[in-house]
Amino acid sequence: MKHAYWIALLLLVFCSLIPVAVGENLGGEELDARVGKLLKDLEELYSKGVGIEGLVKELNKAIDLYYNGSRDEALEVINNIEKEVQALKSVADRVALEKALIKYASVAAALSIPLVVYFALPRLYLYLWYYTRRKWIVEGGRE
Amino acid sequence: MILDEEVLAVVLAVTVVASVLGAALILRPEVVEPFTAIALLNEECKMGDYPRHAAEGSNLTLCIYVYNHMGKPVYYMVVYKLGSAETLPTNTTPSPQKPLASWRGVLGHGENATFLVEVPVRAPSPGAVNATLIFELWIYDTSTSSWSYTGRWAHLHVQLVSAQRA
């Protein structure tokens, strides 16, 4: 009788622990928190000009898997995305610098067009003017 | 000077305007007015031909369209609620009705998602002959780590009929 009491107590404790353990691994809020944290990193990467289309697709896949009952698979996909995000974070600053350089170089090029036109257009026009008349013969002259 | 000075001045003026405009276009922010959008489509994922009647206790198949123009990726959630014309959400507050189902996903900037949903239909209150199917769009706020209502929703009014008539 005493043993039965202890077994029943142990079973009760064991059963109450099962949902807690599952919930801690990937409950709805847990998934939101993990996706939210990843999203913060993705926002940062996107703002620095890093392409994140593939990661967004993978994250969607993880969410679909989770809500279709494949929780472990979803967790694995999320872990892989986290690793990839960490790798991309290390090159994000370089990408941001490259993008900024291209952007400001484009602005400088656009703003220098009037200067180029001011100096080059009269010379180009002069060159073309003479080029189109290169076979002309000057006739007449002093009587 | 072979090239007329007035002609050069006009060409230069046009060039200056064009170059300043070009520079402004390069420097402008990618998204001036961020927004998200949600739309309700029929079961063929097309606009129109929405069901007008539904049997109480039955399921309706509809299609949801979500679009992200926030200038960043978003984690969205479409929340389904059943209510009436009096319990519709507003631009600032969600419907007071209880959520019955939700669908989540992630969208990059400029991306959209279209997906089929099957939603239960029942009377929002005992004896009600009409029901309003409400779909609210929520996005996950990464700064507060919580869901926030976007102020965007789509709804469909249906008349409840007996299962035999439907």
PDB file of all heavy atoms in Angstrom, chain B residues 82-121:
ATOM      1  N   LEU B  82     -15.005  36.135 -34.671  1.00  0.00           N
ATOM      2  CA  LEU B  82     -16.398  36.154 -35.127  1.00  0.00           C
ATOM      3  C   LEU B  82     -17.127  37.222 -34.347  1.00  0.00           C
ATOM      4  O   LEU B  82     -17.057  37.254 -33.116  1.00  0.00           O
ATOM      5  CB  LEU B  82     -17.041  34.801 -34.861  1.00  0.00           C
ATOM      6  CG  LEU B  82     -17.238  33.862 -36.042  1.00  0.00           C
ATOM      7  CD1 LEU B  82     -17.769  32.543 -35.555  1.00  0.00           C
ATOM      8  CD2 LEU B  82     -18.151  34.440 -37.090  1.00  0.00           C
ATOM      9  N   GLY B  83     -17.807  38.090 -35.060  1.00  0.00           N
ATOM     10  CA  GLY B  83     -18.506  39.157 -34.353  1.00  0.00           C
ATOM     11  C   GLY B  83     -19.706  39.620 -35.138  1.00  0.00           C
ATOM     12  O   GLY B  83     -20.267  38.868 -35.943  1.00  0.00           O
ATOM     13  N   SER B  84     -20.072  40.870 -34.902  1.00  0.00           N
ATOM     14  CA  SER B  84     -21.202  41.464 -35.617  1.00  0.00           C
ATOM     15  C   SER B  84     -20.768  42.839 -36.104  1.00  0.00           C
ATOM     16  O   SER B  84     -19.626  43.252 -35.871  1.00  0.00           O
ATOM     17  CB  SER B  84     -22.387  41.599 -34.660  1.00  0.00           C
ATOM     18  OG  SER B  84     -22.019  42.439 -33.585  1.00  0.00           O
ATOM     19  N   ALA B  85     -21.687  43.539 -36.768  1.00  0.00           N
ATOM     20  CA  ALA B  85     -21.347  44.875 -37.286  1.00  0.00           C
ATOM     21  C   ALA B  85     -20.951  45.818 -36.146  1.00  0.00           C
ATOM     22  O   ALA B  85     -20.256  46.812 -36.371  1.00  0.00           O
ATOM     23  CB  ALA B  85     -22.534  45.433 -38.054  1.00  0.00           C
ATOM     24  N   GLU B  86     -21.408  45.514 -34.942  1.00  0.00           N
ATOM     25  CA  GLU B  86     -21.116  46.394 -33.789  1.00  0.00           C
ATOM     26  C   GLU B  86     -19.754  46.093 -33.160  1.00  0.00           C
ATOM     27  O   GLU B  86     -19.268  46.879 -32.349  1.00  0.00           O
ATOM     28  CB  GLU B  86     -22.202  46.243 -32.702  1.00  0.00           C
ATOM     29  CG  GLU B  86     -23.547  46.834 -33.055  1.00  0.00           C
ATOM     30  CD  GLU B  86     -24.339  45.969 -34.028  1.00  0.00           C
ATOM     31  OE1 GLU B  86     -24.307  44.732 -33.866  1.00  0.00           O
ATOM     32  OE2 GLU B  86     -24.936  46.515 -34.976  1.00  0.00           O
ATOM     33  N   THR B  87     -19.191  44.969 -33.490  1.00  0.00           N
ATOM     34  CA  THR B  87     -17.917  44.607 -32.839  1.00  0.00           C
ATOM     35  C   THR B  87     -16.748  44.604 -33.832  1.00  0.00           C
ATOM     36  O   THR B  87     -15.776  43.867 -33.644  1.00  0.00           O
ATOM     37  CB  THR B  87     -18.017  43.221 -32.170  1.00  0.00           C
ATOM     38  OG1 THR B  87     -18.435  42.277 -33.157  1.00  0.00           O
ATOM     39  CG2 THR B  87     -18.991  43.220 -31.020  1.00  0.00           C
ATOM     40  N   LEU B  88     -16.877  45.429 -34.857  1.00  0.00           N
ATOM     41  CA  LEU B  88     -15.786  45.512 -35.842  1.00  0.00           C
ATOM     42  C   LEU B  88     -14.579  46.223 -35.241  1.00  0.00           C
ATOM     43  O   LEU B  88     -14.745  47.071 -34.355  1.00  0.00           O
ATOM     44  CB  LEU B  88     -16.259  46.290 -37.077  1.00  0.00           C
ATOM     45  CG  LEU B  88     -17.149  45.556 -38.069  1.00  0.00           C
ATOM     46  CD1 LEU B  88     -17.581  46.496 -39.180  1.00  0.00           C
ATOM     47  CD2 LEU B  88     -16.416  44.367 -38.672  1.00  0.00           C
ATOM     48  N   PRO B  89     -13.389  45.927 -35.712  1.00  0.00           N
ATOM     49  CA  PRO B  89     -12.211  46.669 -35.224  1.00  0.00           C
ATOM     50  C   PRO B  89     -12.221  48.100 -35.787  1.00  0.00           C
ATOM     51  O   PRO B  89     -13.028  48.406 -36.668  1.00  0.00           O
ATOM     52  CB  PRO B  89     -11.021  45.888 -35.819  1.00  0.00           C
ATOM     53  CG  PRO B  89     -11.584  44.703 -36.509  1.00  0.00           C
ATOM     54  CD  PRO B  89     -13.029  44.923 -36.715  1.00  0.00           C
ATOM     55  N   THR B  90     -11.358  48.932 -35.274  1.00  0.00           N
ATOM     56  CA  THR B  90     -11.195  50.278 -35.842  1.00  0.00           C
ATOM     57  C   THR B  90      -9.744  50.400 -36.307  1.00  0.00           C
ATOM     58  O   THR B  90      -8.980  49.446 -36.212  1.00  0.00           O
ATOM     59  CB  THR B  90     -11.490  51.367 -34.790  1.00  0.00           C
ATOM     60  OG1 THR B  90     -10.458  51.282 -33.786  1.00  0.00           O
ATOM     61  CG2 THR B  90     -12.847  51.190 -34.147  1.00  0.00           C
ATOM     62  N   ASN B  91      -9.387  51.602 -36.752  1.00  0.00           N
ATOM     63  CA  ASN B  91      -7.995  51.814 -37.207  1.00  0.00           C
ATOM     64  C   ASN B  91      -6.997  51.728 -36.064  1.00  0.00           C
ATOM     65  O   ASN B  91      -5.795  51.592 -36.283  1.00  0.00           O
ATOM     66  CB  ASN B  91      -7.858  53.194 -37.857  1.00  0.00           C
ATOM     67  CG  ASN B  91      -8.541  53.223 -39.191  1.00  0.00           C
ATOM     68  OD1 ASN B  91      -8.785  52.177 -39.783  1.00  0.00           O
ATOM     69  ND2 ASN B  91      -8.856  54.412 -39.661  1.00  0.00           N
ATOM     70  N   THR B  92      -7.510  51.871 -34.837  1.00  0.00           N
ATOM     71  CA  THR B  92      -6.598  51.889 -33.689  1.00  0.00           C
ATOM     72  C   THR B  92      -6.819  50.748 -32.699  1.00  0.00           C
ATOM     73  O   THR B  92      -5.902  50.390 -31.968  1.00  0.00           O
ATOM     74  CB  THR B  92      -6.740  53.226 -32.919  1.00  0.00           C
ATOM     75  OG1 THR B  92      -8.133  53.443 -32.677  1.00  0.00           O
ATOM     76  CG2 THR B  92      -6.168  54.390 -33.699  1.00  0.00           C
ATOM     77  N   THR B  93      -8.033  50.211 -32.699  1.00  0.00           N
ATOM     78  CA  THR B  93      -8.299  49.147 -31.716  1.00  0.00           C
ATOM     79  C   THR B  93      -8.800  47.871 -32.390  1.00  0.00           C
ATOM     80  O   THR B  93      -9.602  47.938 -33.324  1.00  0.00           O
ATOM     81  CB  THR B  93      -9.359  49.594 -30.683  1.00  0.00           C
ATOM     82  OG1 THR B  93     -10.521  50.033 -31.414  1.00  0.00           O
ATOM     83  CG2 THR B  93      -8.870  50.692 -29.796  1.00  0.00           C
ATOM     84  N   PRO B  94      -8.362  46.719 -31.910  1.00  0.00           N
ATOM     85  CA  PRO B  94      -8.868  45.465 -32.471  1.00  0.00           C
ATOM     86  C   PRO B  94     -10.287  45.186 -31.982  1.00  0.00           C
ATOM     87  O   PRO B  94     -10.766  45.834 -31.063  1.00  0.00           O
ATOM     88  CB  PRO B  94      -7.882  44.425 -31.929  1.00  0.00           C
ATOM     89  CG  PRO B  94      -7.332  45.027 -30.686  1.00  0.00           C
ATOM     90  CD  PRO B  94      -7.357  46.507 -30.858  1.00  0.00           C
ATOM     91  N   SER B  95     -10.922  44.227 -32.600  1.00  0.00           N
ATOM     92  CA  SER B  95     -12.268  43.846 -32.180  1.00  0.00           C
ATOM     93  C   SER B  95     -12.221  43.269 -30.756  1.00  0.00           C
ATOM     94  O   SER B  95     -11.269  42.559 -30.412  1.00  0.00           O
ATOM     95  CB  SER B  95     -12.816  42.796 -33.150  1.00  0.00           C
ATOM     96  OG  SER B  95     -13.975  42.215 -32.629  1.00  0.00           O
ATOM     97  N   PRO B  96     -13.233  43.553 -29.953  1.00  0.00           N
ATOM     98  CA  PRO B  96     -13.219  43.011 -28.571  1.00  0.00           C
ATOM     99  C   PRO B  96     -13.514  41.510 -28.525  1.00  0.00           C
ATOM    100  O   PRO B  96     -13.405  40.901 -27.463  1.00  0.00           O
ATOM    101  CB  PRO B  96     -14.335  43.806 -27.881  1.00  0.00           C
ATOM    102  CG  PRO B  96     -15.239  44.234 -28.988  1.00  0.00           C
ATOM    103  CD  PRO B  96     -14.401  44.404 -30.191  1.00  0.00           C
ATOM    104  N   GLN B  97     -13.897  40.932 -29.658  1.00  0.00           N
ATOM    105  CA  GLN B  97     -14.246  39.502 -29.683  1.00  0.00           C
ATOM    106  C   GLN B  97     -13.029  38.618 -29.418  1.00  0.00           C
ATOM    107  O   GLN B  97     -11.887  39.029 -29.616  1.00  0.00           O
ATOM    108  CB  GLN B  97     -14.858  39.139 -31.045  1.00  0.00           C
ATOM    109  CG  GLN B  97     -16.153  39.856 -31.356  1.00  0.00           C
ATOM    110  CD  GLN B  97     -17.266  39.546 -30.366  1.00  0.00           C
ATOM    111  OE1 GLN B  97     -17.507  40.292 -29.430  1.00  0.00           O
ATOM    112  NE2 GLN B  97     -17.940  38.427 -30.562  1.00  0.00           N
ATOM    113  N   LYS B  98     -13.321  37.380 -29.020  1.00  0.00           N
ATOM    114  CA  LYS B  98     -12.258  36.428 -28.687  1.00  0.00           C
ATOM    115  C   LYS B  98     -11.629  35.855 -29.964  1.00  0.00           C
ATOM    116  O   LYS B  98     -12.368  35.501 -30.883  1.00  0.00           O
ATOM    117  CB  LYS B  98     -12.891  35.283 -27.877  1.00  0.00           C
ATOM    118  CG  LYS B  98     -11.943  34.528 -26.996  1.00  0.00           C
ATOM    119  CD  LYS B  98     -12.723  33.477 -26.231  1.00  0.00           C
ATOM    120  CE  LYS B  98     -12.095  32.132 -26.477  1.00  0.00           C
ATOM    121  NZ  LYS B  98     -12.883  31.022 -25.999  1.00  0.00           N
ATOM    122  N   PRO B  99     -10.307  35.767 -30.033  1.00  0.00           N
ATOM    123  CA  PRO B  99      -9.681  35.162 -31.221  1.00  0.00           C
ATOM    124  C   PRO B  99     -10.023  33.668 -31.313  1.00  0.00           C
ATOM    125  O   PRO B  99     -10.003  32.966 -30.306  1.00  0.00           O
ATOM    126  CB  PRO B  99      -8.188  35.348 -30.987  1.00  0.00           C
ATOM    127  CG  PRO B  99      -8.070  36.311 -29.880  1.00  0.00           C
ATOM    128  CD  PRO B  99      -9.321  36.236 -29.075  1.00  0.00           C
ATOM    129  N   LEU B 100     -10.356  33.222 -32.517  1.00  0.00           N
ATOM    130  CA  LEU B 100     -10.715  31.812 -32.710  1.00  0.00           C
ATOM    131  C   LEU B 100      -9.614  31.034 -33.430  1.00  0.00           C
ATOM    132  O   LEU B 100      -9.502  29.825 -33.279  1.00  0.00           O
ATOM    133  CB  LEU B 100     -12.017  31.715 -33.508  1.00  0.00           C
ATOM    134  CG  LEU B 100     -13.251  32.337 -32.833  1.00  0.00           C
ATOM    135  CD1 LEU B 100     -14.434  32.306 -33.773  1.00  0.00           C
ATOM    136  CD2 LEU B 100     -13.593  31.587 -31.553  1.00  0.00           C
ATOM    137  N   ALA B 101      -8.857  31.738 -34.234  1.00  0.00           N
ATOM    138  CA  ALA B 101      -7.756  31.081 -34.958  1.00  0.00           C
ATOM    139  C   ALA B 101      -6.742  32.145 -35.359  1.00  0.00           C
ATOM    140  O   ALA B 101      -7.046  33.344 -35.357  1.00  0.00           O
ATOM    141  CB  ALA B 101      -8.283  30.375 -36.203  1.00  0.00           C
ATOM    142  N   SER B 102      -5.538  31.700 -35.680  1.00  0.00           N
ATOM    143  CA  SER B 102      -4.527  32.660 -36.151  1.00  0.00           C
ATOM    144  C   SER B 102      -3.575  31.961 -37.117  1.00  0.00           C
ATOM    145  O   SER B 102      -3.405  30.740 -37.047  1.00  0.00           O
ATOM    146  CB  SER B 102      -3.762  33.268 -34.974  1.00  0.00           C
ATOM    147  OG  SER B 102      -3.003  32.274 -34.329  1.00  0.00           O
ATOM    148  N   TRP B 103      -3.001  32.745 -38.015  1.00  0.00           N
ATOM    149  CA  TRP B 103      -2.032  32.225 -38.980  1.00  0.00           C
ATOM    150  C   TRP B 103      -0.839  33.172 -38.961  1.00  0.00           C
ATOM    151  O   TRP B 103      -1.010  34.397 -38.976  1.00  0.00           O
ATOM    152  CB  TRP B 103      -2.641  32.185 -40.379  1.00  0.00           C
ATOM    153  CG  TRP B 103      -3.873  31.325 -40.430  1.00  0.00           C
ATOM    154  CD1 TRP B 103      -3.937  29.994 -40.708  1.00  0.00           C
ATOM    155  CD2 TRP B 103      -5.227  31.735 -40.180  1.00  0.00           C
ATOM    156  NE1 TRP B 103      -5.238  29.561 -40.637  1.00  0.00           N
ATOM    157  CE2 TRP B 103      -6.047  30.599 -40.312  1.00  0.00           C
ATOM    158  CE3 TRP B 103      -5.825  32.959 -39.836  1.00  0.00           C
ATOM    159  CZ2 TRP B 103      -7.422  30.661 -40.131  1.00  0.00           C
ATOM    160  CZ3 TRP B 103      -7.197  33.011 -39.666  1.00  0.00           C
ATOM    161  CH2 TRP B 103      -7.974  31.865 -39.811  1.00  0.00           C
ATOM    162  N   ARG B 104       0.348  32.597 -38.927  1.00  0.00           N
ATOM    163  CA  ARG B 104       1.553  33.426 -38.818  1.00  0.00           C
ATOM    164  C   ARG B 104       2.502  33.202 -39.972  1.00  0.00           C
ATOM    165  O   ARG B 104       2.477  32.147 -40.616  1.00  0.00           O
ATOM    166  CB  ARG B 104       2.294  33.109 -37.522  1.00  0.00           C
ATOM    167  CG  ARG B 104       1.498  33.480 -36.305  1.00  0.00           C
ATOM    168  CD  ARG B 104       2.070  32.872 -35.054  1.00  0.00           C
ATOM    169  NE  ARG B 104       1.015  32.791 -34.058  1.00  0.00           N
ATOM    170  CZ  ARG B 104       1.197  32.958 -32.778  1.00  0.00           C
ATOM    171  NH1 ARG B 104       2.375  33.203 -32.309  1.00  0.00           N
ATOM    172  NH2 ARG B 104       0.187  32.862 -31.944  1.00  0.00           N
ATOM    173  N   GLY B 105       3.345  34.179 -40.205  1.00  0.00           N
ATOM    174  CA  GLY B 105       4.354  34.053 -41.255  1.00  0.00           C
ATOM    175  C   GLY B 105       5.299  35.233 -41.219  1.00  0.00           C
ATOM    176  O   GLY B 105       5.087  36.191 -40.461  1.00  0.00           O
ATOM    177  N   VAL B 106       6.332  35.154 -42.027  1.00  0.00           N
ATOM    178  CA  VAL B 106       7.316  36.244 -42.110  1.00  0.00           C
ATOM    179  C   VAL B 106       7.333  36.740 -43.546  1.00  0.00           C
ATOM    180  O   VAL B 106       7.309  35.940 -44.483  1.00  0.00           O
ATOM    181  CB  VAL B 106       8.720  35.756 -41.689  1.00  0.00           C
ATOM    182  CG1 VAL B 106       9.745  36.865 -41.819  1.00  0.00           C
ATOM    183  CG2 VAL B 106       8.703  35.266 -40.256  1.00  0.00           C
ATOM    184  N   LEU B 107       7.358  38.054 -43.714  1.00  0.00           N
ATOM    185  CA  LEU B 107       7.418  38.648 -45.048  1.00  0.00           C
ATOM    186  C   LEU B 107       8.562  39.639 -45.119  1.00  0.00           C
ATOM    187  O   LEU B 107       8.734  40.463 -44.217  1.00  0.00           O
ATOM    188  CB  LEU B 107       6.116  39.394 -45.355  1.00  0.00           C
ATOM    189  CG  LEU B 107       4.876  38.590 -45.740  1.00  0.00           C
ATOM    190  CD1 LEU B 107       3.698  39.532 -45.929  1.00  0.00           C
ATOM    191  CD2 LEU B 107       5.117  37.805 -47.013  1.00  0.00           C
ATOM    192  N   GLY B 108       9.328  39.580 -46.198  1.00  0.00           N
ATOM    193  CA  GLY B 108      10.358  40.575 -46.436  1.00  0.00           C
ATOM    194  C   GLY B 108       9.706  41.843 -46.966  1.00  0.00           C
ATOM    195  O   GLY B 108       8.526  41.833 -47.334  1.00  0.00           O
ATOM    196  N   HIS B 109      10.477  42.932 -47.030  1.00  0.00           N
ATOM    197  CA  HIS B 109       9.915  44.189 -47.545  1.00  0.00           C
ATOM    198  C   HIS B 109       9.485  44.016 -49.006  1.00  0.00           C
ATOM    199  O   HIS B 109      10.231  43.476 -49.822  1.00  0.00           O
ATOM    200  CB  HIS B 109      10.954  45.304 -47.437  1.00  0.00           C
ATOM    201  CG  HIS B 109      10.535  46.548 -48.174  1.00  0.00           C
ATOM    202  ND1 HIS B 109       9.501  47.344 -47.748  1.00  0.00           N
ATOM    203  CD2 HIS B 109      10.987  47.092 -49.330  1.00  0.00           C
ATOM    204  CE1 HIS B 109       9.342  48.333 -48.596  1.00  0.00           C
ATOM    205  NE2 HIS B 109      10.235  48.201 -49.557  1.00  0.00           N
ATOM    206  N   GLY B 110       8.268  44.455 -49.315  1.00  0.00           N
ATOM    207  CA  GLY B 110       7.761  44.370 -50.683  1.00  0.00           C
ATOM    208  C   GLY B 110       7.196  43.005 -51.041  1.00  0.00           C
ATOM    209  O   GLY B 110       6.733  42.814 -52.164  1.00  0.00           O
ATOM    210  N   GLU B 111       7.214  42.085 -50.083  1.00  0.00           N
ATOM    211  CA  GLU B 111       6.698  40.736 -50.369  1.00  0.00           C
ATOM    212  C   GLU B 111       5.233  40.623 -49.943  1.00  0.00           C
ATOM    213  O   GLU B 111       4.760  41.381 -49.099  1.00  0.00           O
ATOM    214  CB  GLU B 111       7.513  39.691 -49.609  1.00  0.00           C
ATOM    215  CG  GLU B 111       8.888  39.467 -50.196  1.00  0.00           C
ATOM    216  CD  GLU B 111       9.664  38.374 -49.474  1.00  0.00           C
ATOM    217  OE1 GLU B 111       9.199  37.885 -48.435  1.00  0.00           O
ATOM    218  OE2 GLU B 111      10.746  38.024 -49.957  1.00  0.00           O
ATOM    219  N   ASN B 112       4.553  39.651 -50.519  1.00  0.00           N
ATOM    220  CA  ASN B 112       3.176  39.385 -50.103  1.00  0.00           C
ATOM    221  C   ASN B 112       2.960  37.885 -49.971  1.00  0.00           C
ATOM    222  O   ASN B 112       3.744  37.094 -50.499  1.00  0.00           O
ATOM    223  CB  ASN B 112       2.179  40.001 -51.090  1.00  0.00           C
ATOM    224  CG  ASN B 112       2.242  39.350 -52.443  1.00  0.00           C
ATOM    225  OD1 ASN B 112       1.808  38.213 -52.619  1.00  0.00           O
ATOM    226  ND2 ASN B 112       2.815  40.048 -53.414  1.00  0.00           N
ATOM    227  N   ALA B 113       1.919  37.533 -49.249  1.00  0.00           N
ATOM    228  CA  ALA B 113       1.574  36.112 -49.064  1.00  0.00           C
ATOM    229  C   ALA B 113       0.081  35.948 -49.288  1.00  0.00           C
ATOM    230  O   ALA B 113      -0.714  36.801 -48.874  1.00  0.00           O
ATOM    231  CB  ALA B 113       1.955  35.664 -47.658  1.00  0.00           C
ATOM    232  N   THR B 114      -0.291  34.892 -49.973  1.00  0.00           N
ATOM    233  CA  THR B 114      -1.696  34.578 -50.191  1.00  0.00           C
ATOM    234  C   THR B 114      -1.906  33.138 -49.747  1.00  0.00           C
ATOM    235  O   THR B 114      -1.194  32.254 -50.216  1.00  0.00           O
ATOM    236  CB  THR B 114      -2.067  34.731 -51.680  1.00  0.00           C
ATOM    237  OG1 THR B 114      -1.630  36.014 -52.121  1.00  0.00           O
ATOM    238  CG2 THR B 114      -3.561  34.625 -51.903  1.00  0.00           C
ATOM    239  N   PHE B 115      -2.819  32.909 -48.837  1.00  0.00           N
ATOM    240  CA  PHE B 115      -3.022  31.546 -48.344  1.00  0.00           C
ATOM    241  C   PHE B 115      -4.491  31.269 -48.035  1.00  0.00           C
ATOM    242  O   PHE B 115      -5.236  32.175 -47.664  1.00  0.00           O
ATOM    243  CB  PHE B 115      -2.148  31.270 -47.109  1.00  0.00           C
ATOM    244  CG  PHE B 115      -2.282  32.299 -46.027  1.00  0.00           C
ATOM    245  CD1 PHE B 115      -3.216  32.147 -45.011  1.00  0.00           C
ATOM    246  CD2 PHE B 115      -1.478  33.429 -46.019  1.00  0.00           C
ATOM    247  CE1 PHE B 115      -3.347  33.101 -44.005  1.00  0.00           C
ATOM    248  CE2 PHE B 115      -1.605  34.387 -45.021  1.00  0.00           C
ATOM    249  CZ  PHE B 115      -2.537  34.224 -44.012  1.00  0.00           C
ATOM    250  N   LEU B 116      -4.848  30.012 -48.220  1.00  0.00           N
ATOM    251  CA  LEU B 116      -6.223  29.585 -47.963  1.00  0.00           C
ATOM    252  C   LEU B 116      -6.415  29.337 -46.465  1.00  0.00           C
ATOM    253  O   LEU B 116      -5.505  28.836 -45.802  1.00  0.00           O
ATOM    254  CB  LEU B 116      -6.524  28.295 -48.717  1.00  0.00           C
ATOM    255  CG  LEU B 116      -6.785  28.426 -50.223  1.00  0.00           C
ATOM    256  CD1 LEU B 116      -6.758  27.075 -50.876  1.00  0.00           C
ATOM    257  CD2 LEU B 116      -8.110  29.127 -50.505  1.00  0.00           C
ATOM    258  N   VAL B 117      -7.597  29.692 -45.974  1.00  0.00           N
ATOM    259  CA  VAL B 117      -7.913  29.419 -44.569  1.00  0.00           C
ATOM    260  C   VAL B 117      -9.305  28.797 -44.494  1.00  0.00           C
ATOM    261  O   VAL B 117     -10.168  29.098 -45.315  1.00  0.00           O
ATOM    262  CB  VAL B 117      -7.867  30.700 -43.695  1.00  0.00           C
ATOM    263  CG1 VAL B 117      -6.464  31.250 -43.596  1.00  0.00           C
ATOM    264  CG2 VAL B 117      -8.825  31.765 -44.196  1.00  0.00           C
ATOM    265  N   GLU B 118      -9.469  27.940 -43.533  1.00  0.00           N
ATOM    266  CA  GLU B 118     -10.787  27.352 -43.306  1.00  0.00           C
ATOM    267  C   GLU B 118     -11.238  27.797 -41.929  1.00  0.00           C
ATOM    268  O   GLU B 118     -10.566  27.491 -40.932  1.00  0.00           O
ATOM    269  CB  GLU B 118     -10.686  25.828 -43.386  1.00  0.00           C
ATOM    270  CG  GLU B 118     -12.031  25.191 -43.667  1.00  0.00           C
ATOM    271  CD  GLU B 118     -11.915  23.690 -43.857  1.00  0.00           C
ATOM    272  OE1 GLU B 118     -11.378  23.272 -44.875  1.00  0.00           O
ATOM    273  OE2 GLU B 118     -12.359  22.966 -42.954  1.00  0.00           O
ATOM    274  N   VAL B 119     -12.333  28.558 -41.914  1.00  0.00           N
ATOM    275  CA  VAL B 119     -12.743  29.148 -40.636  1.00  0.00           C
ATOM    276  C   VAL B 119     -14.118  28.648 -40.207  1.00  0.00           C
ATOM    277  O   VAL B 119     -15.013  28.470 -41.031  1.00  0.00           O
ATOM    278  CB  VAL B 119     -12.747  30.697 -40.714  1.00  0.00           C
ATOM    279  CG1 VAL B 119     -11.335  31.219 -40.846  1.00  0.00           C
ATOM    280  CG2 VAL B 119     -13.617  31.204 -41.844  1.00  0.00           C
ATOM    281  N   PRO B 120     -14.285  28.413 -38.903  1.00  0.00           N
ATOM    282  CA  PRO B 120     -15.600  27.983 -38.417  1.00  0.00           C
ATOM    283  C   PRO B 120     -16.574  29.155 -38.367  1.00  0.00           C
ATOM    284  O   PRO B 120     -16.185  30.286 -38.068  1.00  0.00           O
ATOM    285  CB  PRO B 120     -15.282  27.468 -37.006  1.00  0.00           C
ATOM    286  CG  PRO B 120     -14.060  28.212 -36.592  1.00  0.00           C
ATOM    287  CD  PRO B 120     -13.280  28.511 -37.833  1.00  0.00           C
ATOM    288  N   VAL B 121     -17.819  28.869 -38.693  1.00  0.00           N
ATOM    289  CA  VAL B 121     -18.850  29.919 -38.644  1.00  0.00           C
ATOM    290  C   VAL B 121     -19.923  29.504 -37.645  1.00  0.00           C
ATOM    291  O   VAL B 121     -20.447  28.390 -37.724  1.00  0.00           O
ATOM    292  CB  VAL B 121     -19.493  30.124 -40.039  1.00  0.00           C
ATOM    293  CG1 VAL B 121     -20.539  31.229 -39.986  1.00  0.00           C
ATOM    294  CG2 VAL B 121     -18.439  30.453 -41.068  1.00  0.00           C
TER     295      VAL B 121
END
